[in-house]
Amino acid sequence: MSRHGAGGYAGALKRRLRSGELGSVPVALGVLTIWVIFQTLNRNFLSPRNLSNLSVDIVGTGMIAAGVIFVLLVGEIDLSVAAVSGLAAATFAVLNVNHGMHELPAVLLAALCGAAVGAVQGFFFAKVGVPAFVVTLAGLLGWYGLMLYVMGSYGTINIDDEGLVAKLTSYYFTDVAVAYGLAAIGAAGYFLASRRDARRRRAAGVPYRHPGEIAVRTALLAVIAFAAAYVLNQFQGLPLALLIFLIVLVGLDYVLRRTKYGRMIFAVGGGAEAARRAGLNVALVRISAFMMSGTMAAIGGLFLASRVSSVSQTSVSNNLLMNAIGAAVIGGTSLFGGHGRIWSALLGVLVIQSIASGVALMDIQAAVQFMITGGVLLVAVVIDSLSRRAQKAHGRL
């Protein structure tokens, strides 16, 4: 049961850290450190304009990373997400611009394209038995080739600047009440959900969070949310892209933590054989995880295309794959499966994009960005490994 008072909360936190349950603490400290360093080097880093641009830049890669988390949770990896994102964007552009299809059905077909790709790759892995690394590596090459084929002789296809997809990253809610309202709704929603969860866990006789701890967490979230709203309102207001990203993350978080499907994902990642003996259809769960990865890669590809208002044969950048997988891992999702949260996508991509933004502001060579990001990724994996070792020592794995 929960211990009352600040002392009990501090003691519980200390025990969790000692046993390897680090949560979001390392990545949160990492974001803070990166921001302090770059702000010290360039005072424009924490300006409303740069932070607003940062909040939009994280969405495309963040969407892809959110899908990758599903695959990582079942203990596998998807190397094809960058190519799938490019294929989906190319599919949308060709259907909408070249063939005159309305944007909405073109968007839906692009998303279905990603889901179909995930289903195919999941089938070869879960049913045929080909390792996921090999299947998705082949997909990385094959789907990129298909993207080039779909593009044909068009080197670049410009999408309508006033269209639905373009407005995904160009539209801002200029009314300050929207950003502040979202901050209030987020804090209140977290408080109510936490109280409900605490009551259910208390009734079931399992450890629960004390109301004081919930209040502290809610207050901290409210401070962050309202500070973000204030900064965004100093520039152009709340970006539509960021709003959609947060809504998607909330929805996916609910799926993973509150539904039977989410529990199956964690069960398979925690031990496929044990899950199979418990009666779960392990193959179907694995295929669905790859379908989620493919779908989110397609959606992320549309946001990336929206950011530049075009799709080209070079839309699949060399670092997109590493950024997407790196964001999931840096954010706290384990490479060993069975451990992680969907919010890892937000935290991880915030780290990666903050580094990219700071390097760009300081006009430093891109090589430095790769080295810094690589170092951060290595640190994240080391922390994950040490965390698992500590949890095993305390009998938590």
Side-chain angles (χ1 to χ4, degrees), residues 12 15 24 52 55 216 237 263 302 365 368 386:
R15 286 193 299 273
S24 303
S52 180
S55 71
V216 171
R263 290 190 289 272
L302 293 175
Q365 293 182 356
V368 177
L386 295 177

Side-chain angles (χ1 to χ4, degrees), residues 35-51:
W35 284 15
V36 169
I37 291 175
F38 280 120
Q39 177 64 14
T40 303
L41 298 175
N42 190 314
R43 293 185 178 181
N44 291 323
F45 182 80
L46 293 181
S47 66
R49 174 186 289 273
N50 191 59
L51 291 181

